[in-house]
Amino acid sequence: QLQLVESGGGLVQPGGSLRLSCAASGFTLSHYAIGWFRQAPGKEREGVSCISSSGGSTDYADSVKGRFTISRDNAKNEVYLQMDSLEPEDTAVYYCAADFKDKLAFTFLLRGTTWQYYDYRGQGTQVTVSS
């Protein structure tokens, strides 16, 4: 079965860190650009970070710049989102999505409306930042 699976979410105190993983099952993730999205209750889904298939290009939403780092290990077929200095406003369900051969324009990868055009989308992992 072809699917993306996120893991690594949980409950963390403000100022803490989490590392999310996005793993592919049934296909090779190195052929795909990856976007991380999040959706908080009552809010629209928003793009958080993205990385090209080669790993040579990355981008971040302004709200997470300097705190989050996206990376990939194509040998392990995984993409990661390191989240540091977490804030209560980061509480959301986090999703990863895969775009085959970087066919979507990189500048559009983080738009919430682009979510539907990704080839594969995960089921999400909950991140809760609270004291």
Side-chain angles (χ1 to χ4, degrees), residues 31-90:
H31 298 160
Y32 294 77
I34 300 297
W36 280 100
F37 292 78
R38 67 185 181 186
Q39 188 166 20
K43 295 187 177 181
E44 294 185 352
R45 182 178 286 113
E46 63 173 344
V48 175
S49 182
C50 59
I51 188 168
S52 61
S53 58
S54 68
S57 297
T58 59
D59 198 11
Y60 299 90
D62 288 343
S63 58
V64 306
K65 280 181 181 176
R67 300 189 298 120
F68 290 12
T69 304
I70 192 170
S71 62
R72 65 190 306 153
D73 186 338
N74 285 338
K76 293 185 177 180
N77 219 28
E78 292 186 345
V79 174
Y80 309 102
L81 185 67
Q82 177 67 40
M83 307 188 296
D84 299 318
S85 302
L86 283 161
E87 303 168 353
E89 293 73 24
D90 296 316

Side-chain angles (χ1 to χ4, degrees), residues 86-103:
L86 283 161
E87 303 168 353
E89 293 73 24
D90 296 316
T91 296
V93 178
Y94 283 70
Y95 303 86
C96 64
D99 168 41
F100 185 55
K101 291 191 176 180
D102 303 56
K103 69 178 183 302

